[in-house]
Amino acid sequence: MALTLYHYPNCSTCKQAIKWLVANGHEFTAIDLVAKPPTRAVLEHIYKLADVPLKKLFNLAGASYRDGDFKTKLPGMTSAQAFAALAADGKLIKRPILLGDDIALVGFAADEWQRALA
């Protein structure tokens, strides 16, 4: 299975995810989601595969989320507006995201990743 890891190089959780992937023998392509955010179409694909609430795709602890007042805005946004905002600012996106042929994992939890990639 081809795996793509959307990550932020300075993020400690992303570093843990990379270390875990390497230690478990998984080959992957790493993409810096701040330098090259996923497109709206890719984000919609991740959302469908991950089967999570749209809010889970947002980095709720990030400065972009706070500075953009997304805590107030997000509940009233359409999905199109939310995906457009995410695609425009990679720092808004929850990280890391692991995307495979038929899976998408948002955030890193070793046990969840182990089950999904078994």
Side-chain angles (χ1 to χ4, degrees):
M1 167 180 6
L3 295 174
T4 301
L5 179 72
Y6 290 94
H7 72 111
Y8 179 53
N10 296 334
C11 170
S12 61
T13 304
C14 293
K15 290 176 185 179
Q16 290 174 4
I18 290 170
K19 186 175 178 180
W20 184 91
L21 287 166
V22 170
N24 285 278
H26 297 288
E27 293 185 17
F28 60 96
T29 301
I31 298 175
D32 180 337
L33 60 73
V34 174
K36 187 178 177 190
T39 65
R40 180 177 165 177
V42 170
L43 288 163
E44 289 174 351
H45 181 66
I46 289 167
Y47 172 66
K48 288 175 186 168
L49 285 177
D51 193 29
V52 295
L54 184 55
K55 184 176 181 178
K56 181 152 175 134
L57 294 182
F58 282 81
N59 178 10
L60 305 180
S64 289
Y65 186 83
R66 287 189 308 274
D67 294 347
D69 194 29
F70 283 92
K71 182 177 184 179
T72 303
K73 289 181 191 176
L74 187 57
M77 292 175 81
T78 65
S79 60
Q81 291 169 324
F83 287 122
L86 290 166
D89 182 359
K91 288 190 176 182
L92 268 178
I93 301 170
K94 174 79 173 172
R95 56 191 184 243
I97 294 175
L98 187 66
L99 180 60
D101 297 335
D102 57 355
I103 63 162
L105 303 170
V106 180
F108 176 66
D111 56 340
E112 179 185 341
W113 285 34
Q114 183 67 42
R115 281 191 304 273
L117 298 174

